[in-house]
Amino acid sequence: MATAIELQPETAHGAGHDAHGGQGHADHPPTSTGLNSRKMLMWLFLTSDTMFFGTLIATYMSYRNRSIELGMPPYPNEIFDIPYTSVSAFVLLMSSLTMVLALSAVQRGDNRGLRIWIAATALLGAIFVGGQFFEFTTFAKEGLTLDSNIFGSSFYVLTGFHGAHVTIGIVWLLSLLVVSLRGGIPAEKAADVEIAGLYWHFVDIVWIVIFTLVYLIPYADGPEEAVEAAPEAFLRVLTLGDRLLTALPF
Amino acid sequence: MIRLGPRQEGQSAPPRGRWPRAAAVLALAAVVLVLSGCTAEIAQPFSTIAPQNEKTEDIQNLYKITFWASLVVFIGVQVAIGYTALRFRRRNEDRPEQVHGSRKLEIAWTIIPAVILLVLFIPTAQTIFDHANDADRAAASDETFRVNVIGKQWWWEISYPDIPANPDDPEAGPIVTANEVFVPVGANVLFSLASNNVIHSFWVPQLSGKMDLIPGHDNKMQFVAEKPGEYWGECAEFCGASHAWMRFKVNVLPREEFDAWVAAWRTPPAFDANAETADVAEAPPAFGACIACHRVSGTNAQVAGQGIAQNPGYVDPATGEPVPGPGPNLTLMGCRDTIGAGILENTPENMETWLKRTDEVKEGVYMPNYYKQGLTDEQIAELVDYLESLRPADGCPGDDLLVGSEVAAPVIEAQDPNEDPGEDPQ
Amino acid sequence: MASIAHPGIHAPAIPREQAAPSGLWSWLTTVDHKRIAVLYGVTAFIFFLVGGLEALLIRVQLMRPENNVVDAQRYNELFTMHGTTMIFLVVMPLSVALFNLVVPLQIGARDVAFPRLNAFSYWTFLAGAAILNIPVLFALPEIFLSIAGTAWTNLFGAGLPDALQALGGRWPFPWFNGWPFARYVPDQGWYGYAPLTERFFSGREIDFWALGLQILGVASMAGAFNFIVTILNLRAPGMTMMRLPIFSWSTLITSILIIMAFPVITIALVFLSFDRLGGTMFYGAFNLVEGTLVTSGGDPRLWQHLFWIFGHPEVYILILPAFGLVSEIIPVFSRKPLFGYAVMVYAIAAIAFLGFGVWVHHMFTTGLGATPTAAFAAATMLIAIPTGVKILNWTATMWGGALTFTTPMLFAVGLVSQFVIGGLSGVMHAVVPVDTQQNDTYFVVAHFHYVLFGGSIFALLGALYFYWPKVFGKLLDERIGKIHFWLTFIGFNMTFFPMHFLGLAGMPRRYSTYGWESGWWFWNVISTLGALLIAASVLVFLLNVLRTAQSKQNVGANPWDAPTLEWAIPSPPPVYNFRIVPLVTHRDQLWHDKYDRIAESHGRPDDVADAIVEVDQLPERSRLGVAVAEAQAEEGNIHLPNPSFYPLLCGLGLFLLAFGILINNPHIQLGFLGIPIVSALGFLLLVISIYGWSFEPAG
């Protein structure tokens, strides 16, 4: 450690990070934070994706009881088959477990385990998407379409957006599977699997939120109750301060 | 003049050539222009700083507080920047003292603006709640003068839910007008603002701040009409091609004149082309093209719909063709001050212009140009006569109305109806 | 005991194989952040001229009452495209150009964290800009013909000569005119309020606008991810977050705003596209079924909420980079460090944070009720506090300094003084009852031009002068530069100050014309004259660029005697930026090296080169970095990312995907079995490029 490196060419600090994780590569210096740049990128993307889903969910929530309020069927509480969707939600949750097992396999350098668990994850994801497709066609038969009422519009766009996320995840996992079949993924490239896993877990967690807010929380029983839960409910939170502000001496 | 001009070290000399001098002359000219503009008397019927009732006075007072506070801050900061810029010019190679900050100063200029803003916020909140309470009280009171406004592309449908068109016939609905609101002086007016097409904004600057008309929402606006007069209003939310020509007037009339106006509205027009054929007055045959969309109270032209449930006029997404909906109610048309929501002064020549060149006078208008579609000059002349005749024989109520504010009544210039209408789009 | 020297002081000769490549292909495939900066800058400047011409036409139309230079439809198109262009195609990309140029250099990195993603951002940006502007391109001859016709009629009292009329407002290429795009120029305002954008009240132009903005959103977000990772991860050893130059701080926070705000507008636009193309009614309260109104349950106010939840942070996305630039420029020309660095950082963060909680102040006249209104008024006023602190800290930076009023400094101080006006009128809008009079009038137009022109554009122009020598090795002419500044300054105030009076006189925004009786003509005349001055100032700037391009000078590494790392390396910088990755010990590193060390060594400059930093004093991670650096140094190569054409192909794929949707309409049908082929090709290209990219070695 006693060499002055003045006048000597420097390292590839800052370049070429998008193909290699940096982690485990001797020719890449550690980053300023010590975190892998690609993993950080995925975390940032997920932050962004949270806002995507946040907007979709907020919109759904503000229109939640609108169709009931207006008397425009089909109504959500009549059309949902909660046991069915619970099963597919459970399938998706299980895929997070297999994803963890896949990552653990690749970190051990166990390529066979990796293939099995990645394939299982993709399969479980495919079962979920297939289930969603079946659910959508059933709903459509019962008259709920994208343009049948505001419930249909906000429901299909929200769950469809999530389904598209799962689909992209499956394609990603299958691509990793192909890479693993054509020579394997070494343990030092485990970050490739880990990043896909981050995405996959996020999509699962989002489904838990959607499943709770869209399916599980009861809907209004009739138009009167629905009016109470009218849109811009998130702004109504502010009216809680009404008494406080009107009580002020001005 | 303060010279903020740069001085440079080394390679290039300070630039005091012709160009900066020209710029200075230009700037001086601009200042002179600006000052002369300030002194010139320009009538501004839409002025936001000429309040005519208590509500706008409140707003004006708040504006004054904000303005003077801003001016003090503005001058303070500009003087500080100017003084610093002049005093601390680089004069030698010495390095100035390397100051990195001052916690005391920074805390001070965090707290001072906070205090100023708090002082500003208290009357702001007070006025917000006062005005909201005024509207709530008006909504709850029986004494309130209620007006329903529906914004259309690009005109206003005004109706008076408490004033029936025919006191003997509750089915006849309320009195309906377009682009002119009539209000008795001293009334506590509550507007119910709605739209079934795009968003508009209802604004009479001298009587109230603006309020949007949003489809699916029933917004309220309240003010007291304190002084008789005519007050100009305009649409303040972009609503499509002719957004600039969606003006209206609020006529605040003395009580007896207002009652005369209601009576005049309920009286069938004197013009009667075929009096013996029916017990209602009949519009001339050429008006047949108009009655699909327009109504004239007390005549056989009662077909067109009114109210929020009507097709507002829209563009068919499949064909891209406009589909017109009901147009303005033309009862007492002869008494209106303007044609086309403030675009032309109401004169026979302008009415002819309007009928012959509708789509040129008001871009995007849903009203078809029947002149281009085959109405003859004679038929147009007949229509002009008829429309201008829609007024009481003894003159329009409120015609001699003085403008309440200090501002002059706008004069809308006439156009030559027979000017070359340009090439036919067909 | 290891020691490290400071950068650029003894840069050895560039290895031959690493000399910058040239030619068109090298630009199309470049992943070099400095070249991408130039691409962004040039593109944004071209759009600055386009948006400026649109503004000029707006001003000429409003010059006198009942003017007819353009008709109402064209006028609506002009203000829509002016706003959209200036925000998304000028101020944002110019800021991104500076992020690209400055940030990696300022933090001592060789490039951004993901060079190909960076190139992808640019090409995607270009794709979105193209989608937005294709209709404008097609409409140009019509616009010129109609203006020429009006001018001719006004001057000679007769219609345009037949020879000109015969051109018919068309491009001289027959195949080009077969497309009906000239009718599709967006015309609904940059804020696109529904239901005016719904399928019943507008045409295909809204689809161009919505898809163009969505693609631009992808570009912005990709860029923002990249800069956040770059700033967090690629800082030179020793550069702690509180040693980070303030412009990099503002880049970091702006990027965080982008990744939080753009998803909201993207989803809002997705809803809009579903409304227009998929038959939903997210934003329309009424559906029209064969002329009959049917309540749909949608709510136009949802668009307003979503748009402004994005739209207000967007305002700070536009202004925070400007604040960062000014915080770099003022200390340099005051020869004093930034006053209250930490507070300036906190102020940026506070403005960004509060920026997400004030969107309702754009909706004070929509009838939301007294309590939300009062709460958002209070939140809005709060923003004035950190902004005020920034203004006063800049002034305090100058206080006691040795000020040199070069052109960049003039623009920077111009911002400080002009932004105050915009800030104060902003506070006026927080006073809700006053806002109900000022909302949607020219008072607001004056306000945001003082913020965006007097703020963002002033800072960006100043930054052009400031960083020009770093990019091209030549200083822009100072004499012309000062003329440029004063013309801009006077023209700007002449254009926009009168708009305050117009707003007070009740002139609403977006009026294509106004009557004589309104009393608005006088200030409109002044304003238009001012706009002509601004146009002249842009010409002066172009003259300056041409003059400078002809001059032969090389100003060396640090012509301004600035303290940050980008000034340590030669101008223009070598392709690898830093031969030796610098070691950072101070916030104003170069000043420390140049002045403090001299002082510490009792005024013997010779000692500077020998001054060393003890590596053992560094935190562990930085020591690791030094160790790896030493290991690589022995191999004797500087590792640089390879050029790649996949980012370009991805951008092209996205463009074709969107374009295919837009041209698949009743007028043009390029479909096969119901699938729009252009879109399908674009999608295929996108997928192939993503795979190619994934498996391409980054070098």
Side-chain angles (χ1 to χ4, degrees):
Chain A
M1 273 299 282
T3 333
I5 58 165
E6 189 181 347
L7 299 186
Q8 284 176 349
E10 260 298 344
T11 160
H13 193 76
H17 279 254
D18 53 349
H20 317 292
Q23 203 181 51
H25 281 239
D27 57 336
H28 285 284
T31 56
S32 316
T33 55
L35 303 170
N36 177 321
S37 288
R38 289 172 64 222
K39 254 195 264 177
M40 188 187 276
L41 180 71
M42 180 45 78
W43 278 111
L44 290 169
F45 171 75
L46 296 181
T47 312
S48 219
D49 222 14
T50 307
M51 292 301 288
F52 275 103
F53 278 108
T55 310
L56 283 159
I57 292 171
T59 301
Y60 184 87
M61 293 307 280
S62 65
Y63 284 147
R64 206 166 182 270
N65 285 307
R66 218 3 127 68
S67 299
I68 302 171
E69 178 190 337
L70 295 171
M72 289 174 80
Y75 302 131
N77 39 3
E78 290 167 8
I79 207 161
F80 285 153
D81 182 354
I82 290 177
Y84 174 86
T85 317
S86 304
V87 171
S88 72
F90 179 74
V91 169
L92 193 63
L93 269 184
M94 283 305 103
S95 75
S96 263
L97 178 66
T98 52
M99 189 71 231
V100 171
L101 293 172
L103 178 62
S104 136
V106 73
Q107 280 168 347
R108 289 195 313 268
D110 171 8
N111 247 294
R112 190 167 161 273
L114 172 71
R115 281 169 212 158
I116 291 170
W117 293 120
I118 276 204
T121 311
L123 184 69
L124 290 172
I127 292 173
F128 174 82
V129 172
Q132 196 176 39
F133 183 76
F134 180 74
E135 186 189 35
F136 282 10
T137 39
T138 315
F139 287 177
K141 271 184 211 146
E142 292 177 36
L144 186 76
T145 57
L146 189 62
D147 55 357
S148 61
N149 58 12
I150 192 77
F151 160 59
S153 307
S154 46
F155 171 77
Y156 281 120
V157 174
L158 168 59
T159 50
F161 194 76
H162 180 265
H165 269 74
V166 181
T167 310
I168 290 170
I170 294 169
V171 173
W172 191 348
L173 291 175
L174 292 179
S175 307
L176 284 175
L177 185 62
V178 171
V179 172
S180 144
L181 288 169
R182 296 174 58 183
I185 301 174
E188 61 265 27
K189 280 198 167 187
D192 288 1
V193 179
E194 194 181 349
I195 290 165
L198 282 176
Y199 174 83
W200 192 261
H201 295 313
F202 172 80
V203 172
D204 280 6
I205 293 166
V206 168
W207 184 251
I208 296 173
V209 177
I210 293 176
F211 183 60
T212 311
L213 294 177
V214 174
Y215 290 84
L216 295 184
I217 296 181
Y219 285 79
D221 270 341
E224 295 79 27
E225 206 183 309
V227 174
E228 293 291 303
E232 289 172 348
F234 61 103
L235 276 182
R236 280 168 182 248
V237 173
L238 289 165
T239 57
L240 295 176
D242 233 340
R243 283 189 207 107
L244 179 73
L245 274 168
T246 42
L248 290 175
F250 47 85
Chain B
M1 254 176 82
I2 302 169
R3 199 172 69 88
L4 267 176
R7 189 183 302 160
Q8 265 206 307
E9 310 294 324
Q11 77 263 45
S12 72
R16 285 298 288 177
R18 280 169 297 140
W19 268 105
R21 211 165 296 151
V25 170
L26 213 62
L28 200 67
V31 169
V32 170
L33 265 173
V34 164
L35 291 176
S36 64
C38 287
T39 53
E41 284 288 334
I42 304 170
Q44 293 177 327
F46 299 98
S47 173
T48 63
I49 45 175
Q52 295 299 325
N53 62 4
E54 203 190 325
K55 188 178 182 189
T56 42
E57 282 288 355
D58 287 351
I59 296 174
Q60 177 85 330
N61 287 336
L62 264 181
Y63 175 67
K64 280 181 186 161
I65 298 171
T66 330
F67 176 79
W68 288 111
S70 300
L71 193 69
V72 169
V73 174
F74 171 72
I75 292 174
V77 175
Q78 302 297 341
V79 166
I81 295 170
Y83 179 77
T84 314
L86 290 175
R87 180 171 158 199
F88 296 104
R89 305 300 284 272
R90 181 171 177 177
R91 293 192 170 81
N92 50 42
E93 283 300 310
D94 291 348
R95 219 161 159 248
E97 193 192 343
Q98 302 292 294
V99 181
H100 286 271
S102 153
R103 184 157 296 176
K104 267 185 213 154
L105 270 178
E106 281 162 316
I107 290 174
W109 58 52
T110 307
I111 290 174
I112 293 168
V115 171
I116 296 177
L117 289 169
L118 188 66
V119 168
L120 215 54
F121 179 70
I122 291 170
T124 300
Q126 197 169 12
T127 314
I128 293 172
F129 283 97
D130 281 354
H131 287 180
N133 291 340
D134 286 349
D136 289 346
R137 268 196 296 275
S141 161
D142 293 337
E143 305 290 299
T144 305
F145 186 86
R146 287 164 207 274
V147 182
N148 292 347
V149 179
I150 302 171
K152 299 286 183 82
Q153 280 181 318
W154 295 269
W155 59 282
W156 309 86
E157 183 180 302
I158 320 280
S159 61
Y160 304 82
D162 301 333
I163 308 178
N166 183 348
D168 304 326
D169 176 14
E171 298 294 305
I175 285 188
V176 177
T177 65
N179 305 330
E180 287 185 12
V181 186
F182 288 84
V183 172
V185 71
N188 186 7
V189 193
L190 182 71
F191 291 93
S192 177
L193 305 171
S195 165
N196 57 7
N197 44 87
V198 303
I199 299 175
H200 306 275
S201 192
F202 187 84
W203 188 30
V204 198
Q206 292 169 19
L207 297 177
S208 173
K210 57 184 77 67
M211 180 59 86
D212 295 354
L213 296 81
I214 303 174
H217 292 274
D218 184 17
N219 281 341
K220 300 277 186 247
M221 179 207 256
Q222 172 272 345
F223 60 74
V224 178
E226 290 170 17
K227 300 178 202 163
E230 56 177 16
Y231 303 91
W232 279 84
E234 53 189 343
C235 177
E237 184 61 84
F238 180 62
C239 54
S242 277
H243 168 53
W245 297 114
M246 194 173 162
R247 311 202 285 194
F248 61 98
K249 263 193 330 191
V250 175
N251 291 326
V252 180
L253 306 183
R255 190 79 220 185
E256 60 277 16
E257 293 224 39
F258 179 79
D259 293 339
W261 173 75
V262 171
W265 198 94
R266 287 169 175 165
T267 311
F271 187 96
D272 186 354
N274 266 315
E276 64 274 15
T277 55
D279 58 350
V280 289
E282 280 193 18
F287 200 68
C290 314
I291 62 175
C293 296
H294 294 285
R295 274 193 192 197
V296 181
S297 176
T299 75
N300 64 338
Q302 289 280 14
V303 180
Q306 291 175 159
I308 193 84
Q310 299 297 323
N311 158 26
Y314 66 100
V315 177
D316 187 341
T319 62
E321 295 299 320
V323 181
N329 186 310
L330 298 178
T331 310
L332 293 182
M333 181 66 216
C335 286
R336 298 249 169 95
D337 287 340
T338 66
I339 301 169
I343 202 164
L344 295 173
E345 190 189 357
N346 188 4
T347 63
E349 296 76 37
N350 281 340
M351 186 61 86
E352 190 184 344
T353 307
W354 173 254
L355 292 176
K356 286 184 172 175
R357 297 167 55 199
T358 321
D359 42 343
E360 288 166 63
V361 174
K362 191 162 182 171
E363 230 181 298
V365 67
Y366 285 100
M367 177 168 150
N369 186 334
Y370 286 112
Y371 182 64
K372 278 186 190 159
Q373 293 180 19
L375 282 189
T376 61
D377 283 329
E378 291 70 36
Q379 283 172 313
I380 294 288
E382 192 187 12
L383 281 175
V384 171
D385 282 350
Y386 176 66
L387 289 168
E388 295 299 335
S389 78
L390 294 173
R391 56 188 296 161
D394 52 349
C396 296
D399 235 7
D400 53 346
L401 200 64
L402 290 172
V403 175
S405 59
E406 298 80 35
V407 299
V411 180
I412 295 172
E413 59 168 349
Q415 289 191 9
D416 178 7
N418 293 315
E419 198 179 294
D420 175 25
E423 57 181 314
D424 196 316
Q426 272 105 46
Chain C
M1 278 291 150
S3 60
I4 271 187
H6 281 286
I9 298 169
H10 309 280
I14 305 168
R16 213 153 52 89
E17 69 278 11
Q18 287 183 342
S22 59
L24 179 66
W25 185 248
S26 76
W27 281 91
L28 293 178
T29 59
T30 187
V31 293
D32 179 356
H33 70 100
K34 299 176 289 295
R35 287 191 156 204
I36 292 170
V38 172
L39 287 173
Y40 261 114
V42 169
T43 316
F45 196 80
I46 290 170
F47 281 116
F48 181 59
L49 299 180
V50 173
L53 277 176
E54 284 157 355
L56 213 52
L57 280 176
I58 291 173
R59 281 316 322 164
V60 170
Q61 163 69 7
L62 293 180
M63 187 166 59
R64 64 179 195 128
E66 291 170 26
N67 209 357
N68 57 348
V69 171
V70 290
D71 59 21
Q73 173 61 33
R74 199 58 89 191
Y75 182 86
N76 297 344
E77 293 168 1
L78 285 173
F79 73 66
T80 301
M81 287 312 293
H82 168 68
T84 310
T85 302
M86 285 301 188
I87 289 167
F88 294 104
L89 309 183
V90 178
V91 175
M92 282 186 73
L94 266 183
S95 304
V96 175
L98 287 160
F99 296 169
N100 262 304
L101 174 71
V102 179
V103 168
L105 301 182
Q106 216 170 36
I107 64 174
R110 289 252 157 80
D111 206 316
V112 293
F114 305 99
R116 289 179 298 174
L117 188 64
N118 202 20
F120 169 79
S121 297
Y122 172 72
W123 296 115
T124 312
F125 157 72
L126 197 63
I131 292 280
L132 269 175
N133 276 285
I134 281 173
V136 179
L137 182 70
F138 277 80
L140 270 183
E142 279 178 28
I143 296 173
F144 281 124
L145 193 76
S146 93
I147 293 163
T150 313
W152 198 278
T153 312
N154 287 346
L155 287 173
F156 306 109
L160 211 58
D162 292 345
L164 280 172
Q165 200 74 54
L167 293 174
R170 311 185 121 225
W171 286 98
F173 328 111
W175 57 270
F176 205 72
N177 294 305
W179 306 80
F181 294 142
R183 283 187 278 137
Y184 298 153
V185 186
D187 61 352
Q188 77 299 338
W190 88 279
Y191 66 139
Y193 266 18
L196 191 59
T197 50
E198 289 285 355
R199 56 187 185 275
F200 301 112
F201 304 104
S202 57
R204 187 144 284 264
E205 64 275 7
I206 309 298
D207 300 324
F208 275 86
W209 179 76
L211 278 173
L213 284 198
Q214 285 175 70
I215 295 176
L216 288 175
V218 172
S220 300
M221 281 188 276
F225 294 140
N226 212 342
F227 283 109
I228 298 176
V229 178
T230 305
I231 293 170
L232 291 180
N233 262 0
L234 299 192
R235 281 167 288 136
M239 181 174 279
T240 59
M241 286 311 273
M242 288 319 265
R243 283 181 195 158
L244 196 62
I246 196 97
F247 179 66
S248 292
W249 259 115
S250 73
T251 304
L252 177 67
I253 291 173
T254 306
S255 301
I256 292 172
L257 281 178
I258 289 174
I259 69 164
M260 304 283 283
F262 269 80
V264 182
I265 188 69
T266 306
I267 292 297
L269 289 164
V270 166
F271 289 151
L272 180 64
S273 294
F274 268 106
D275 273 11
R276 299 188 47 78
L277 308 169
T280 61
M281 266 296 170
F282 281 102
Y283 301 129
F286 301 101
N287 206 340
L288 279 151
V289 184
E290 286 160 6
T292 311
L293 275 184
V294 183
T295 305
S296 68
D299 189 347
R301 233 154 48 182
L302 175 69
W303 168 267
Q304 301 189 12
H305 284 301
L306 296 183
F307 185 83
W308 292 118
I309 288 172
F310 150 77
H312 203 80
E314 169 69 13
V315 173
Y316 297 121
I317 291 168
L318 300 174
I319 194 66
L320 291 182
F323 283 178
L325 289 167
V326 168
S327 303
E328 295 288 347
I329 293 171
I330 288 184
V332 170
F333 298 105
S334 306
R335 290 165 54 87
K336 256 185 79 197
L338 184 65
F339 190 87
Y341 168 91
V343 171
M344 292 299 254
V345 170
Y346 301 148
I348 297 179
I351 292 172
F353 179 76
L354 290 172
F356 274 100
V358 297
W359 79 91
V360 165
H361 71 211
H362 297 266
M363 301 168 61
F364 281 155
T365 63
T366 58
L368 286 170
T371 311
T373 303
F376 277 95
T380 304
M381 286 181 178
L382 279 183
I383 289 192
I385 297 171
T387 316
V389 168
K390 293 195 82 75
I391 298 278
L392 292 167
N393 272 13
W394 286 322
T395 314
T397 307
M398 287 158 61
W399 184 273
L403 308 184
T404 326
F405 282 93
T406 58
T407 311
M409 182 66 165
L410 283 174
F411 275 109
V413 176
L415 176 143
V416 178
S417 89
Q418 300 307 292
F419 193 86
V420 173
I421 302 176
L424 290 171
S425 54
V427 172
M428 288 185 183
H429 296 146
V431 180
V432 180
V434 175
D435 183 70
T436 62
Q437 290 283 30
Q438 292 171 349
N439 185 35
D440 268 320
T441 68
Y442 266 82
F443 202 91
V444 175
V445 180
H447 158 71
F448 68 73
H449 278 97
Y450 267 89
V451 176
L452 292 183
F453 195 129
S456 305
I457 295 286
F458 268 40
L460 290 168
L461 288 174
L464 281 182
Y465 280 88
F466 190 59
Y467 284 113
W468 201 271
K470 185 44 65 188
V471 185
F472 299 104
K474 297 169 181 179
L475 280 167
L476 283 168
D477 189 279
E478 272 293 302
R479 197 183 147 87
I480 307 180
K482 278 162 192 157
I483 297 171
H484 175 207
F485 169 75
W486 285 109
L487 265 182
T488 312
F489 186 84
I490 295 166
F492 161 71
N493 276 293
M494 219 168 127
T495 310
F496 298 109
F497 207 81
M499 290 185 181
H500 290 110
F501 304 135
L502 287 171
L504 292 176
M507 181 171 175
R509 298 169 73 174
R510 308 187 175 104
Y511 266 23
S512 58
T513 186
Y514 51 93
W516 287 95
E517 69 286 350
S518 58
W520 297 330
W521 59 272
F522 178 81
W523 293 115
N524 271 304
V525 174
I526 303 291
S527 181
T528 303
L529 291 176
L532 292 171
L533 274 187
I534 297 177
S537 80
V538 175
L539 293 180
V540 169
F541 176 71
L542 288 173
L543 176 80
N544 201 347
V545 171
L546 289 178
R547 278 274 294 271
T548 309
Q550 287 167 350
S551 77
K552 287 188 172 39
Q553 44 165 324
N554 193 325
V555 293
N558 194 356
W560 307 115
D561 188 19
T564 37
L565 291 182
E566 70 269 34
W567 303 102
I569 52 174
S571 314
V575 66
Y576 47 78
N577 297 349
F578 292 91
R579 183 138 202 92
I580 302 164
V581 165
L583 183 70
V584 179
T585 55
H586 286 77
R587 201 176 285 149
D588 295 323
Q589 188 67 47
L590 303 194
W591 280 355
H592 173 78
D593 293 352
K594 186 170 169 185
Y595 299 108
D596 300 350
R597 292 244 199 99
I598 294 174
E600 285 161 15
S601 57
H602 307 291
R604 287 178 290 125
D606 290 351
D607 290 354
V608 176
D610 301 331
I612 50 169
V613 175
E614 302 304 317
V615 170
D616 288 350
Q617 292 171 357
L618 289 170
E620 190 190 357
R621 264 201 297 281
S622 301
R623 257 186 288 157
L624 260 169
V626 172
V628 176
E630 284 174 25
Q632 282 213 331
E634 278 158 27
E635 292 170 26
N637 67 330
I638 296 176
H639 182 85
L640 285 172
N642 293 332
S644 169
F645 55 88
Y646 288 116
L648 172 64
L649 289 184
C650 279
L652 188 63
L654 265 176
F655 173 81
L656 291 177
L657 184 59
F659 193 64
I661 296 170
L662 293 168
I663 60 171
N664 196 43
N665 67 46
H667 302 287
I668 313 158
Q669 277 172 328
L670 292 173
F672 178 69
L673 296 176
I675 303 163
I677 34 177
V678 177
S679 289
L681 283 176
F683 182 71
L684 207 64
L685 185 59
L686 186 62
V687 172
I688 292 171
S689 314
I690 289 173
Y691 273 96
W693 179 339
S694 305
F695 293 104
E696 177 191 52

